[in-house]
Amino acid sequence: MSSHNHPYGKSENVLGFGEDSKVFIKEEPLKDMFLHPDVKHRKIVAFSIIGAYRKGKSFFLDYCLRYLYAHYPSINYPNNPVSNPTNWMGEEDEPLKGFSWRSGSDRDTTGIVMWNDIFLHTVERTGEKIALVVMDTQGLFDNQSSPMDNSKIFALGTLISSIQVLNLSGVIQEDQLQYLQFATEFAKFAASSSQGSNGKCFQNLMFLIRDWENPDDFACGIDGGKNYLENFLEVRSEQKPELKSVREFIHNSFDELSCSLLPHPGKIVTGVKKYKNLMYDGSHSGMDEDFKDELIILIDHLLNPERLVFKKYNGCNVKGFEYHEYVEHYFKLFQSDELPQAQTIFDATVEKQMTILVNLCFNNYKETVYKNRDALNNQSNIVILHDGCKNKALLMFNEAKKMGNNSHEVKFKKILETEIDKLYEEWGNQTIESINKIADEVEKTRVAIEEK
Ligand code: GDP
Ligand code: MG
């Protein structure tokens, strides 16, 4: 019931709405998580759940945490033996810990809450190193949040997750589709200004329907959900134009759309029936069997090591330190009173991606200068070295996958060239000593170019 007593992690309210709906951001925990030495160079998988208040999101996530701790080591538990992953649900009577659930009728936090422990995994087949982050959204779509706050939080959740679970109760309601409008708008901009086919903008979206009451029409689970979702997303003449458009474009916005139908968890879980004459503590002995069976299948489907989905911007995986830059950047964009337009956010994403790329290429220049400095013994060698390294950096820029249009590319290539030329001038009289000065700088910025 409380998040304080979990042995390995706690929840951090990294973004929230304060007085007058002003967005606040907590920068320190974000740095601690994504710039952690074990995380900053790993590819990010970002798992998030979003939806209305008091619909079992945190309860569900706490079982996800159980699964994760039974399958993966983490930054706070690096030597986790994960000896018995098949029994990940744990003991029958184990009270549920993690994200705070059933917090009473008051909302304690709103916004985005991240689990501050990050899970680590290496893909056997490819050797890729992964860092998996889990996030929850609190107290949304209720009568206390404005539609603006809801739209903001939903857009943010979509931008920063690679597996997003949209938690809904009973059925999908027509007006809930409006929260996907941002994603489809954003994807349209990306498609119209993209230079090549870089895949879809967002990764996986799962509609998770709780308390499913129509198993005769569509069976519980993922297959029944697939049929239900296909039926719901069919375009019909009587639908509102903007929601018709969401239906038409949603397939172009996400790599994978899915749906899962979960049965009602039973009267103990919902608090109608007493649990051993005590307050229900979340343990799985209190769940109805059919709910428990479906929950086990669903969580394994979402978080199985074989199925993890990387977070991508413009078709490129992002590492911890890059993800940190995107998250901070997006959070700040959403601090304005207005809801930023999809176009504005798209432009900001292009700029961010280009800036990260320019930094990588600039560091590549410094690195090659540094590596080749021993061969220097006269002035003309220095010029040749500079030209060679500069061309290599520009080639790296040209060959990278990029978002945006040609004018973005021209602008940022110019920035890269200017940076390089400026540094070259700073070598002063271009002596071998000044090259050594660059060598010092390379050491300082090595972080960004490691593990390329
Ligand atoms: P959140 O606000 O969406 O994070 O909801 P919580 O996880 O805090 O859960 C709110 C209440 O719903 C708790 O009393 C849970 O026991 C209960 N609950 C958990 N799962 C379900 C479910 O699938 N259906 C229903 N009706 N209640 C659930
Ligand atoms: Mg919650």
Coordinates of all heavy atoms in Angstrom, one line a residue, residues 52-60 100-103 136 138 167 210-211 263-265 269-270 280 291, ligand 1:
A52 N -7.1 6.7 -16.4 CA -7.8 7.4 -15.3 C -7.4 6.9 -13.9 O -6.8 5.9 -13.8 CB -9.3 7.1 -15.5
Y53 N -7.8 7.7 -13.0 CA -7.5 7.6 -11.6 C -8.3 6.4 -11.0 O -9.4 6.2 -11.4 CB -7.8 8.9 -10.9 CG -7.8 9.0 -9.5 CD1 -6.6 8.7 -8.8 CD2 -8.9 9.3 -8.7 CE1 -6.5 8.8 -7.4 CE2 -8.9 9.4 -7.4 CZ -7.7 9.2 -6.7 OH -7.7 9.3 -5.4
R54 N -7.6 5.6 -10.1 CA -8.3 4.5 -9.4 C -8.9 3.4 -10.3 O -10.0 3.0 -10.1 CB -9.4 5.1 -8.4 CG -8.7 5.7 -7.2 CD -9.7 6.1 -6.1 NE -10.3 4.9 -5.4 CZ -9.7 4.2 -4.5 NH1 -8.4 4.4 -4.2 NH2 -10.3 3.2 -3.9
K55 N -8.1 3.1 -11.3 CA -8.5 2.0 -12.1 C -7.5 0.8 -12.1 O -7.4 0.1 -13.1 CB -8.7 2.4 -13.6 CG -9.7 3.5 -13.8 CD -11.1 3.0 -13.6 CE -12.1 4.2 -13.9 NZ -13.3 4.1 -13.0
G56 N -6.7 0.7 -11.0 CA -5.8 -0.4 -10.9 C -4.5 -0.3 -11.6 O -3.9 -1.3 -11.8
K57 N -4.1 0.9 -12.0 CA -2.8 1.0 -12.8 C -1.6 0.6 -11.9 O -0.8 -0.2 -12.3 CB -2.6 2.5 -13.2 CG -3.6 2.9 -14.3 CD -3.1 4.3 -14.8 CE -3.0 5.4 -13.8 NZ -4.3 5.7 -13.0
S58 N -1.6 1.3 -10.7 CA -0.4 1.0 -9.8 C -0.4 -0.4 -9.3 O 0.7 -1.0 -9.2 CB -0.4 2.0 -8.7 OG -0.5 3.3 -9.1
F59 N -1.6 -0.9 -9.0 CA -1.7 -2.3 -8.6 C -1.1 -3.2 -9.7 O -0.3 -4.1 -9.4 CB -3.2 -2.6 -8.4 CG -3.5 -4.0 -7.9 CD1 -3.6 -4.2 -6.6 CD2 -3.8 -5.0 -8.8 CE1 -4.0 -5.5 -6.1 CE2 -4.2 -6.3 -8.4 CZ -4.2 -6.5 -7.0
F60 N -1.5 -3.0 -10.9 CA -0.9 -3.7 -12.0 C 0.6 -3.6 -12.2 O 1.3 -4.6 -12.3 CB -1.6 -3.3 -13.3 CG -1.1 -3.9 -14.6 CD1 -1.5 -5.2 -14.9 CD2 -0.3 -3.2 -15.5 CE1 -1.0 -5.8 -16.1 CE2 0.2 -3.8 -16.6 CZ -0.2 -5.1 -16.9
S100 N 2.7 3.3 -5.0 CA 1.6 3.3 -4.0 C 0.2 3.2 -4.7 O -0.1 3.8 -5.7 CB 1.7 4.7 -3.3 OG 0.5 5.3 -3.1
W101 N -0.5 2.2 -4.2 CA -1.8 1.9 -4.8 C -2.9 2.1 -3.8 O -2.6 2.1 -2.6 CB -1.9 0.5 -5.4 CG -1.6 -0.6 -4.4 CD1 -0.4 -1.0 -3.9 CD2 -2.5 -1.5 -3.8 NE1 -0.5 -2.0 -3.0 CE2 -1.8 -2.3 -2.9 CE3 -3.9 -1.6 -3.9 CZ2 -2.5 -3.3 -2.1 CZ3 -4.5 -2.6 -3.1 CH2 -3.8 -3.4 -2.2
R102 N -4.1 2.2 -4.2 CA -5.3 2.4 -3.3 C -5.0 3.5 -2.3 O -5.1 3.3 -1.1 CB -5.6 1.1 -2.6 CG -7.0 1.1 -2.0 CD -7.4 -0.2 -1.3 NE -6.4 -0.6 -0.3 CZ -6.5 -1.7 0.3 NH1 -7.4 -2.6 0.0 NH2 -5.6 -2.0 1.3
S103 N -4.6 4.7 -2.8 CA -4.2 5.7 -1.9 C -5.3 6.5 -1.3 O -5.1 7.6 -0.8 CB -3.2 6.6 -2.6 OG -3.7 7.0 -3.8
D136 N 4.6 5.3 -14.1 CA 3.2 5.3 -13.8 C 2.7 6.8 -13.9 O 3.4 7.7 -13.7 CB 3.1 4.9 -12.3 CG 1.7 4.6 -11.8 OD1 0.8 4.6 -12.7 OD2 1.5 4.4 -10.6
Q138 N -0.3 9.3 -12.4 CA -1.2 9.3 -11.3 C -2.4 10.3 -11.5 O -2.1 11.4 -12.0 CB -0.5 9.8 -10.1 CG 0.6 8.9 -9.6 CD 0.1 7.9 -8.6 OE1 0.2 6.7 -8.9 NE2 -0.4 8.4 -7.5
N167 N -4.7 2.2 -19.9 CA -5.5 1.5 -19.0 C -6.9 2.0 -19.0 O -7.2 3.2 -18.6 CB -4.9 1.6 -17.6 CG -5.5 0.6 -16.6 OD1 -5.4 -0.6 -16.7 ND2 -6.2 1.2 -15.5
R210 N -9.9 -3.2 -18.3 CA -10.1 -3.8 -17.1 C -11.6 -4.1 -16.9 O -12.5 -3.5 -17.5 CB -9.7 -2.9 -15.9 CG -8.3 -2.3 -16.1 CD -7.2 -3.3 -16.0 NE -6.9 -3.7 -14.7 CZ -5.9 -3.2 -14.0 NH1 -5.0 -2.4 -14.5 NH2 -5.6 -3.6 -12.7
D211 N -11.9 -5.1 -16.1 CA -13.3 -5.5 -15.7 C -14.1 -5.8 -17.0 O -15.3 -5.3 -17.1 CB -14.0 -4.3 -14.9 CG -13.3 -4.0 -13.6 OD1 -12.3 -4.7 -13.3 OD2 -13.6 -3.0 -13.0
P263 N -10.5 -9.8 -17.0 CA -11.7 -10.0 -16.3 C -11.7 -9.2 -15.0 O -10.6 -8.7 -14.6 CB -11.8 -11.5 -16.0 CG -10.4 -12.0 -16.1 CD -9.7 -11.1 -17.1
H264 N -12.8 -9.1 -14.3 CA -12.9 -8.4 -13.0 C -12.0 -9.2 -12.0 O -12.0 -10.4 -12.1 CB -14.4 -8.4 -12.6 CG -14.6 -7.6 -11.4 ND1 -14.3 -8.0 -10.1 CD2 -15.1 -6.3 -11.3 CE1 -14.6 -7.0 -9.3 NE2 -15.1 -6.0 -9.9
P265 N -11.3 -8.5 -11.2 CA -10.3 -9.2 -10.3 C -11.0 -9.9 -9.1 O -10.3 -10.6 -8.4 CB -9.4 -8.1 -9.8 CG -10.3 -6.8 -9.8 CD -11.2 -7.0 -11.0
V269 N -10.3 -7.9 -4.2 CA -9.4 -6.8 -4.7 C -10.1 -5.5 -4.8 O -9.5 -4.4 -4.5 CB -8.9 -7.2 -6.2 CG1 -8.1 -6.1 -6.8 CG2 -8.1 -8.5 -6.1
T270 N -11.4 -5.5 -5.1 CA -12.1 -4.2 -5.1 C -12.5 -3.7 -3.8 O -13.1 -2.6 -3.6 CB -13.3 -4.2 -6.1 OG1 -14.1 -5.3 -5.7 CG2 -12.8 -4.4 -7.5
Y280 N -7.4 -5.6 2.6 CA -6.7 -6.4 1.6 C -5.3 -5.8 1.4 O -5.1 -4.5 1.3 CB -7.5 -6.3 0.3 CG -6.8 -6.9 -0.9 CD1 -6.3 -8.2 -0.8 CD2 -6.7 -6.3 -2.1 CE1 -5.7 -8.8 -1.9 CE2 -6.1 -6.9 -3.2 CZ -5.6 -8.2 -3.1 OH -5.0 -8.8 -4.2
F291 N -8.8 -14.0 -13.2 CA -8.1 -12.8 -13.3 C -6.6 -13.0 -13.2 O -5.8 -12.5 -14.0 CB -8.5 -11.8 -12.2 CG -7.7 -10.5 -12.1 CD1 -8.0 -9.4 -13.0 CD2 -6.7 -10.4 -11.2 CE1 -7.3 -8.2 -12.9 CE2 -6.0 -9.2 -11.1 CZ -6.3 -8.1 -12.0
Ligands
GDP1 P1 -4.7 3.8 -9.9 O1 -5.2 5.0 -9.4 O2 -5.2 3.6 -11.3 O3 -3.3 3.6 -9.9 O4 -5.4 2.6 -9.1 P2 -4.8 1.7 -7.9 O5 -3.8 0.7 -8.5 O6 -4.3 2.5 -6.8 O7 -6.0 0.8 -7.5 C1 -7.2 1.3 -7.1 C2 -8.1 0.3 -6.5 O8 -8.6 -0.6 -7.6 C3 -7.4 -0.6 -5.5 O9 -8.3 -0.8 -4.4 C4 -7.2 -1.9 -6.2 O10 -7.3 -3.1 -5.4 C5 -8.4 -2.0 -7.2 N1 -8.1 -2.7 -8.4 C6 -6.9 -3.3 -8.9 N2 -7.1 -3.9 -10.1 C7 -8.4 -3.7 -10.4 C8 -9.2 -4.1 -11.5 O11 -8.7 -4.8 -12.5 N3 -10.5 -3.8 -11.5 C9 -11.1 -3.1 -10.5 N4 -12.3 -2.8 -10.5 N5 -10.3 -2.7 -9.4 C10 -9.0 -3.0 -9.4

